[in-house]
Amino acid sequence: MSLGQSSAYKYNPISILGEKLVARGMAVIAAACNDGSDGVWMVCDTGLGDLATSVASFDNAYGIYHSFTYGSSVSYPYSPSASWGKVINLPASATLVPIFEQGGSLSDGCEDTIYNGVDVKGKVVLAIGDLSRCDSVKRGEHAQKAGAAALLVQTTPMGLGKLNGNASFPMASIENKAGDDLIAAWKKSHSTKFTWSKSVSNFLVEGGGGPSYFSSRGLDGELRSKPDIAAP
């Protein structure tokens, strides 16, 4: 089951109930909770008992994705926004335009003024994937209003982030290293072209095989090994 709330200790009603159910011959297997952002010590109380089983989440090591090439033969996977939800297929004229802040760092695209004086019409914009200042919907609206053909978002710190996006505008997350590679190729030649795949392929996902960012980490407050197991 997937229910309960985070706790550090097994001395609470839900944990005690779980132990009593196990003593009566039941198997209690419960989610570890989705409070990974709270740091260690937090695990869902449902699986905190000595005999209950607490299950955490790992990100898949591999994934099936559409991809593109840019400046080399390397294929980079991308994850389209939930609202777009389909393959991206743009003409060769849709070349890359990274958007930078005044200090030279890649912009998150949260302010529409970032496009002032930058020609992105019919181009693929690259932005950083820090979602702390604004959501993907807003940055997609800014890019579309500026005339961009699509928006690629470099995931931070790694992997392929999840974007909501806009149904009328192609938008996708790419891996962090892919973003760095794109910028390096763009600096060599602004006219470098994308090639978009027509079919999916199996990719080793950046950062895959490790704990999901949202999954509660454990240990518990008495340094017991919780969660007990984890899976994709």
Side-chain angles (χ1 to χ4, degrees):
M1 57 186 124
S2 181
L3 54 86
Q5 59 186 8
S6 285
S7 174
Y9 298 98
K10 61 181 179 180
Y11 311 106
N12 60 70
I14 298 297
S15 299
I16 293 171
L17 174 59
E19 290 293 84
K20 289 184 176 181
L21 293 175
V22 174
R24 288 176 175 267
M26 303 179 80
V28 175
I29 303 169
C33 264
N34 300 329
D35 297 317
S37 60
D38 290 343
V40 295
W41 318 126
M42 293 289 117
V43 182
C44 250
D45 48 16
T46 319
L48 261 183
D50 289 323
L51 301 178
T53 301
S54 176
V55 185
S57 171
F58 270 65
D59 289 334
N60 277 314
Y62 291 87
I64 305 296
Y65 298 98
H66 282 93
S67 61
F68 62 84
T69 62
Y70 182 81
S72 72
S73 60
V74 177
S75 293
Y76 299 104
Y78 68 85
S79 178
S81 67
S83 296
W84 181 254
K86 54 188 174 183
V87 65
I88 295 176
N89 187 18
L90 299 173
S93 59
T95 53
L96 182 70
V97 179
I99 49 174
F100 297 103
E101 298 290 344
Q102 287 186 348
S105 61
L106 194 63
S107 174
D108 57 16
C110 287
E111 304 294 338
D112 57 0
T113 54
I114 196 67
Y115 292 100
N116 291 347
V118 181
D119 181 16
V120 299
K121 189 173 182 179
K123 308 296 184 182
V124 178
V125 170
L126 176 65
I128 195 69
D130 181 3
L131 299 177
S132 61
R133 291 208 312 133
C134 71
D135 59 26
S136 60
V137 175
K138 184 175 182 180
R139 65 183 69 192
E141 290 174 348
H142 292 334
Q144 187 176 21
K145 184 179 179 181
L151 175 63
L152 295 180
V153 179
Q154 181 187 24
T155 303
T156 56
M158 65 180 67
L160 288 167
K162 296 184 183 301
L163 306 173
N164 289 325
N166 307 295
S168 62
F169 184 63
M171 186 173 177
S173 65
I174 62 173
E175 294 177 331
N176 189 269
K177 183 180 183 303
D180 290 343
D181 289 350
L182 262 61
I183 293 174
W186 175 81
K187 287 180 177 179
K188 291 180 179 179
S189 173
H190 293 5
S191 61
T192 301
K193 293 178 172 57
F194 285 95
T195 301
W196 302 90
S197 71
K198 295 181 180 179
S199 58
V200 296
S201 299
N202 191 26
F203 289 91
L204 179 64
V205 179
E206 182 183 62
S212 300
Y213 75 92
F214 58 81
S215 192
S216 295
R217 299 289 196 264
L219 307 165
D220 80 347
E222 296 176 305
L223 304 184
R224 294 183 309 135
S225 182
K226 291 286 181 173
D228 299 288
I229 60 176

PDB file of all heavy atoms in Angstrom, residues 141-167:
ATOM      1  N   GLU A 141       5.615  29.793 -22.529  1.00  0.00           N
ATOM      2  CA  GLU A 141       4.848  30.914 -23.094  1.00  0.00           C
ATOM      3  C   GLU A 141       5.782  32.029 -23.562  1.00  0.00           C
ATOM      4  O   GLU A 141       5.571  32.625 -24.617  1.00  0.00           O
ATOM      5  CB  GLU A 141       3.879  31.438 -22.043  1.00  0.00           C
ATOM      6  CG  GLU A 141       2.726  30.485 -21.744  1.00  0.00           C
ATOM      7  CD  GLU A 141       1.863  30.964 -20.589  1.00  0.00           C
ATOM      8  OE1 GLU A 141       2.302  31.912 -19.872  1.00  0.00           O
ATOM      9  OE2 GLU A 141       0.770  30.397 -20.373  1.00  0.00           O
ATOM     10  N   HIS A 142       6.810  32.313 -22.780  1.00  0.00           N
ATOM     11  CA  HIS A 142       7.756  33.366 -23.158  1.00  0.00           C
ATOM     12  C   HIS A 142       8.489  33.010 -24.445  1.00  0.00           C
ATOM     13  O   HIS A 142       8.648  33.854 -25.341  1.00  0.00           O
ATOM     14  CB  HIS A 142       8.764  33.600 -22.032  1.00  0.00           C
ATOM     15  CG  HIS A 142       8.180  34.208 -20.799  1.00  0.00           C
ATOM     16  ND1 HIS A 142       7.058  34.993 -20.827  1.00  0.00           N
ATOM     17  CD2 HIS A 142       8.583  34.155 -19.495  1.00  0.00           C
ATOM     18  CE1 HIS A 142       6.776  35.407 -19.603  1.00  0.00           C
ATOM     19  NE2 HIS A 142       7.683  34.909 -18.771  1.00  0.00           N
ATOM     20  N   ALA A 143       8.947  31.768 -24.544  1.00  0.00           N
ATOM     21  CA  ALA A 143       9.682  31.335 -25.739  1.00  0.00           C
ATOM     22  C   ALA A 143       8.785  31.363 -26.973  1.00  0.00           C
ATOM     23  O   ALA A 143       9.194  31.807 -28.052  1.00  0.00           O
ATOM     24  CB  ALA A 143      10.251  29.937 -25.526  1.00  0.00           C
ATOM     25  N   GLN A 144       7.556  30.896 -26.814  1.00  0.00           N
ATOM     26  CA  GLN A 144       6.617  30.874 -27.939  1.00  0.00           C
ATOM     27  C   GLN A 144       6.279  32.297 -28.384  1.00  0.00           C
ATOM     28  O   GLN A 144       6.222  32.588 -29.589  1.00  0.00           O
ATOM     29  CB  GLN A 144       5.354  30.123 -27.544  1.00  0.00           C
ATOM     30  CG  GLN A 144       4.383  29.896 -28.690  1.00  0.00           C
ATOM     31  CD  GLN A 144       3.185  29.047 -28.264  1.00  0.00           C
ATOM     32  OE1 GLN A 144       2.858  28.944 -27.089  1.00  0.00           O
ATOM     33  NE2 GLN A 144       2.537  28.423 -29.237  1.00  0.00           N
ATOM     34  N   LYS A 145       6.068  33.179 -27.437  1.00  0.00           N
ATOM     35  CA  LYS A 145       5.753  34.572 -27.759  1.00  0.00           C
ATOM     36  C   LYS A 145       6.902  35.245 -28.504  1.00  0.00           C
ATOM     37  O   LYS A 145       6.692  36.096 -29.375  1.00  0.00           O
ATOM     38  CB  LYS A 145       5.423  35.339 -26.482  1.00  0.00           C
ATOM     39  CG  LYS A 145       4.998  36.774 -26.713  1.00  0.00           C
ATOM     40  CD  LYS A 145       4.667  37.469 -25.395  1.00  0.00           C
ATOM     41  CE  LYS A 145       4.269  38.920 -25.617  1.00  0.00           C
ATOM     42  NZ  LYS A 145       3.957  39.609 -24.332  1.00  0.00           N
ATOM     43  N   ALA A 146       8.144  34.835 -28.179  1.00  0.00           N
ATOM     44  CA  ALA A 146       9.315  35.410 -28.841  1.00  0.00           C
ATOM     45  C   ALA A 146       9.520  34.856 -30.244  1.00  0.00           C
ATOM     46  O   ALA A 146      10.390  35.327 -30.978  1.00  0.00           O
ATOM     47  CB  ALA A 146      10.559  35.163 -27.995  1.00  0.00           C
ATOM     48  N   GLY A 147       8.723  33.836 -30.613  1.00  0.00           N
ATOM     49  CA  GLY A 147       8.790  33.282 -31.957  1.00  0.00           C
ATOM     50  C   GLY A 147       9.602  32.029 -32.093  1.00  0.00           C
ATOM     51  O   GLY A 147       9.868  31.566 -33.211  1.00  0.00           O
ATOM     52  N   ALA A 148      10.037  31.433 -30.976  1.00  0.00           N
ATOM     53  CA  ALA A 148      10.842  30.217 -31.030  1.00  0.00           C
ATOM     54  C   ALA A 148      10.046  29.053 -31.607  1.00  0.00           C
ATOM     55  O   ALA A 148       8.819  28.992 -31.493  1.00  0.00           O
ATOM     56  CB  ALA A 148      11.354  29.859 -29.638  1.00  0.00           C
ATOM     57  N   ALA A 149      10.764  28.112 -32.239  1.00  0.00           N
ATOM     58  CA  ALA A 149      10.119  26.920 -32.787  1.00  0.00           C
ATOM     59  C   ALA A 149       9.946  25.842 -31.731  1.00  0.00           C
ATOM     60  O   ALA A 149       9.047  25.001 -31.827  1.00  0.00           O
ATOM     61  CB  ALA A 149      10.953  26.369 -33.950  1.00  0.00           C
ATOM     62  N   ALA A 150      10.800  25.867 -30.710  1.00  0.00           N
ATOM     63  CA  ALA A 150      10.742  24.869 -29.642  1.00  0.00           C
ATOM     64  C   ALA A 150      11.622  25.334 -28.494  1.00  0.00           C
ATOM     65  O   ALA A 150      12.421  26.275 -28.636  1.00  0.00           O
ATOM     66  CB  ALA A 150      11.202  23.500 -30.144  1.00  0.00           C
ATOM     67  N   LEU A 151      11.472  24.677 -27.354  1.00  0.00           N
ATOM     68  CA  LEU A 151      12.284  24.982 -26.179  1.00  0.00           C
ATOM     69  C   LEU A 151      12.824  23.688 -25.589  1.00  0.00           C
ATOM     70  O   LEU A 151      12.054  22.780 -25.273  1.00  0.00           O
ATOM     71  CB  LEU A 151      11.455  25.723 -25.136  1.00  0.00           C
ATOM     72  CG  LEU A 151      12.121  26.008 -23.791  1.00  0.00           C
ATOM     73  CD1 LEU A 151      13.321  26.936 -23.972  1.00  0.00           C
ATOM     74  CD2 LEU A 151      11.127  26.626 -22.807  1.00  0.00           C
ATOM     75  N   LEU A 152      14.145  23.608 -25.464  1.00  0.00           N
ATOM     76  CA  LEU A 152      14.790  22.501 -24.776  1.00  0.00           C
ATOM     77  C   LEU A 152      15.250  22.993 -23.414  1.00  0.00           C
ATOM     78  O   LEU A 152      15.824  24.077 -23.295  1.00  0.00           O
ATOM     79  CB  LEU A 152      15.992  21.973 -25.573  1.00  0.00           C
ATOM     80  CG  LEU A 152      15.687  21.344 -26.927  1.00  0.00           C
ATOM     81  CD1 LEU A 152      16.969  20.885 -27.593  1.00  0.00           C
ATOM     82  CD2 LEU A 152      14.707  20.168 -26.785  1.00  0.00           C
ATOM     83  N   VAL A 153      14.997  22.192 -22.387  1.00  0.00           N
ATOM     84  CA  VAL A 153      15.321  22.575 -21.015  1.00  0.00           C
ATOM     85  C   VAL A 153      16.367  21.625 -20.465  1.00  0.00           C
ATOM     86  O   VAL A 153      16.132  20.415 -20.364  1.00  0.00           O
ATOM     87  CB  VAL A 153      14.056  22.566 -20.131  1.00  0.00           C
ATOM     88  CG1 VAL A 153      14.408  22.931 -18.697  1.00  0.00           C
ATOM     89  CG2 VAL A 153      13.005  23.520 -20.679  1.00  0.00           C
ATOM     90  N   GLN A 154      17.529  22.168 -20.127  1.00  0.00           N
ATOM     91  CA  GLN A 154      18.628  21.368 -19.581  1.00  0.00           C
ATOM     92  C   GLN A 154      18.325  21.016 -18.131  1.00  0.00           C
ATOM     93  O   GLN A 154      18.261  21.882 -17.264  1.00  0.00           O
ATOM     94  CB  GLN A 154      19.945  22.144 -19.675  1.00  0.00           C
ATOM     95  CG  GLN A 154      21.147  21.371 -19.150  1.00  0.00           C
ATOM     96  CD  GLN A 154      22.410  22.222 -19.108  1.00  0.00           C
ATOM     97  OE1 GLN A 154      22.331  23.444 -19.034  1.00  0.00           O
ATOM     98  NE2 GLN A 154      23.565  21.591 -19.162  1.00  0.00           N
ATOM     99  N   THR A 155      18.146  19.730 -17.855  1.00  0.00           N
ATOM    100  CA  THR A 155      17.787  19.280 -16.513  1.00  0.00           C
ATOM    101  C   THR A 155      18.924  19.531 -15.532  1.00  0.00           C
ATOM    102  O   THR A 155      20.087  19.323 -15.843  1.00  0.00           O
ATOM    103  CB  THR A 155      17.441  17.785 -16.528  1.00  0.00           C
ATOM    104  OG1 THR A 155      16.384  17.550 -17.465  1.00  0.00           O
ATOM    105  CG2 THR A 155      16.993  17.315 -15.153  1.00  0.00           C
ATOM    106  N   THR A 156      18.575  19.991 -14.336  1.00  0.00           N
ATOM    107  CA  THR A 156      19.548  20.141 -13.260  1.00  0.00           C
ATOM    108  C   THR A 156      19.086  19.335 -12.048  1.00  0.00           C
ATOM    109  O   THR A 156      17.903  19.330 -11.729  1.00  0.00           O
ATOM    110  CB  THR A 156      19.693  21.614 -12.843  1.00  0.00           C
ATOM    111  OG1 THR A 156      18.415  22.132 -12.465  1.00  0.00           O
ATOM    112  CG2 THR A 156      20.260  22.448 -13.969  1.00  0.00           C
ATOM    113  N   PRO A 157      19.971  18.606 -11.371  1.00  0.00           N
ATOM    114  CA  PRO A 157      21.387  18.496 -11.704  1.00  0.00           C
ATOM    115  C   PRO A 157      21.690  17.443 -12.774  1.00  0.00           C
ATOM    116  O   PRO A 157      22.758  17.456 -13.364  1.00  0.00           O
ATOM    117  CB  PRO A 157      22.019  18.096 -10.371  1.00  0.00           C
ATOM    118  CG  PRO A 157      20.952  17.283  -9.699  1.00  0.00           C
ATOM    119  CD  PRO A 157      19.653  17.931 -10.090  1.00  0.00           C
ATOM    120  N   MET A 158      20.757  16.507 -13.002  1.00  0.00           N
ATOM    121  CA  MET A 158      21.006  15.461 -13.990  1.00  0.00           C
ATOM    122  C   MET A 158      19.700  14.769 -14.340  1.00  0.00           C
ATOM    123  O   MET A 158      18.662  15.005 -13.727  1.00  0.00           O
ATOM    124  CB  MET A 158      22.010  14.430 -13.457  1.00  0.00           C
ATOM    125  CG  MET A 158      21.505  13.635 -12.265  1.00  0.00           C
ATOM    126  SD  MET A 158      22.687  12.429 -11.633  1.00  0.00           S
ATOM    127  CE  MET A 158      23.974  13.494 -11.002  1.00  0.00           C
ATOM    128  N   GLY A 159      19.766  13.896 -15.356  1.00  0.00           N
ATOM    129  CA  GLY A 159      18.601  13.099 -15.738  1.00  0.00           C
ATOM    130  C   GLY A 159      17.703  13.819 -16.722  1.00  0.00           C
ATOM    131  O   GLY A 159      18.116  14.756 -17.405  1.00  0.00           O
ATOM    132  N   LEU A 160      16.457  13.374 -16.792  1.00  0.00           N
ATOM    133  CA  LEU A 160      15.451  13.969 -17.665  1.00  0.00           C
ATOM    134  C   LEU A 160      14.283  14.420 -16.801  1.00  0.00           C
ATOM    135  O   LEU A 160      13.540  13.604 -16.269  1.00  0.00           O
ATOM    136  CB  LEU A 160      14.982  12.959 -18.721  1.00  0.00           C
ATOM    137  CG  LEU A 160      15.976  12.641 -19.834  1.00  0.00           C
ATOM    138  CD1 LEU A 160      15.541  11.412 -20.621  1.00  0.00           C
ATOM    139  CD2 LEU A 160      16.129  13.834 -20.772  1.00  0.00           C
ATOM    140  N   GLY A 161      14.144  15.732 -16.655  1.00  0.00           N
ATOM    141  CA  GLY A 161      13.098  16.266 -15.802  1.00  0.00           C
ATOM    142  C   GLY A 161      11.718  16.148 -16.418  1.00  0.00           C
ATOM    143  O   GLY A 161      11.570  15.915 -17.620  1.00  0.00           O
ATOM    144  N   LYS A 162      10.712  16.335 -15.594  1.00  0.00           N
ATOM    145  CA  LYS A 162       9.318  16.292 -16.050  1.00  0.00           C
ATOM    146  C   LYS A 162       8.812  17.730 -16.202  1.00  0.00           C
ATOM    147  O   LYS A 162       8.922  18.539 -15.293  1.00  0.00           O
ATOM    148  CB  LYS A 162       8.455  15.522 -15.055  1.00  0.00           C
ATOM    149  CG  LYS A 162       8.848  14.052 -14.927  1.00  0.00           C
ATOM    150  CD  LYS A 162       7.905  13.309 -14.008  1.00  0.00           C
ATOM    151  CE  LYS A 162       8.345  11.860 -13.813  1.00  0.00           C
ATOM    152  NZ  LYS A 162       8.405  11.126 -15.081  1.00  0.00           N
ATOM    153  N   LEU A 163       8.257  18.016 -17.374  1.00  0.00           N
ATOM    154  CA  LEU A 163       7.747  19.348 -17.680  1.00  0.00           C
ATOM    155  C   LEU A 163       6.261  19.270 -18.011  1.00  0.00           C
ATOM    156  O   LEU A 163       5.817  18.322 -18.656  1.00  0.00           O
ATOM    157  CB  LEU A 163       8.506  19.943 -18.869  1.00  0.00           C
ATOM    158  CG  LEU A 163      10.034  20.004 -18.772  1.00  0.00           C
ATOM    159  CD1 LEU A 163      10.618  20.448 -20.100  1.00  0.00           C
ATOM    160  CD2 LEU A 163      10.461  20.939 -17.652  1.00  0.00           C
ATOM    161  N   ASN A 164       5.508  20.271 -17.604  1.00  0.00           N
ATOM    162  CA  ASN A 164       4.095  20.350 -17.991  1.00  0.00           C
ATOM    163  C   ASN A 164       3.958  20.969 -19.378  1.00  0.00           C
ATOM    164  O   ASN A 164       3.304  20.425 -20.245  1.00  0.00           O
ATOM    165  CB  ASN A 164       3.312  21.156 -16.960  1.00  0.00           C
ATOM    166  CG  ASN A 164       3.156  20.422 -15.652  1.00  0.00           C
ATOM    167  OD1 ASN A 164       3.018  19.207 -15.641  1.00  0.00           O
ATOM    168  ND2 ASN A 164       3.203  21.145 -14.542  1.00  0.00           N
ATOM    169  N   GLY A 165       4.584  22.131 -19.580  1.00  0.00           N
ATOM    170  CA  GLY A 165       4.614  22.740 -20.903  1.00  0.00           C
ATOM    171  C   GLY A 165       3.273  23.205 -21.411  1.00  0.00           C
ATOM    172  O   GLY A 165       2.303  23.376 -20.656  1.00  0.00           O
ATOM    173  N   ASN A 166       3.219  23.396 -22.739  1.00  0.00           N
ATOM    174  CA  ASN A 166       2.016  23.890 -23.412  1.00  0.00           C
ATOM    175  C   ASN A 166       1.673  22.978 -24.590  1.00  0.00           C
ATOM    176  O   ASN A 166       2.564  22.524 -25.307  1.00  0.00           O
ATOM    177  CB  ASN A 166       2.263  25.312 -23.928  1.00  0.00           C
ATOM    178  CG  ASN A 166       2.771  26.233 -22.835  1.00  0.00           C
ATOM    179  OD1 ASN A 166       2.072  26.506 -21.876  1.00  0.00           O
ATOM    180  ND2 ASN A 166       4.019  26.684 -22.970  1.00  0.00           N
ATOM    181  N   ALA A 167       0.396  22.734 -24.784  1.00  0.00           N
ATOM    182  CA  ALA A 167      -0.044  21.805 -25.823  1.00  0.00           C
ATOM    183  C   ALA A 167       0.277  22.297 -27.227  1.00  0.00           C
ATOM    184  O   ALA A 167       0.413  21.493 -28.155  1.00  0.00           O
ATOM    185  CB  ALA A 167      -1.543  21.554 -25.686  1.00  0.00           C
TER     186      ALA A 167
END
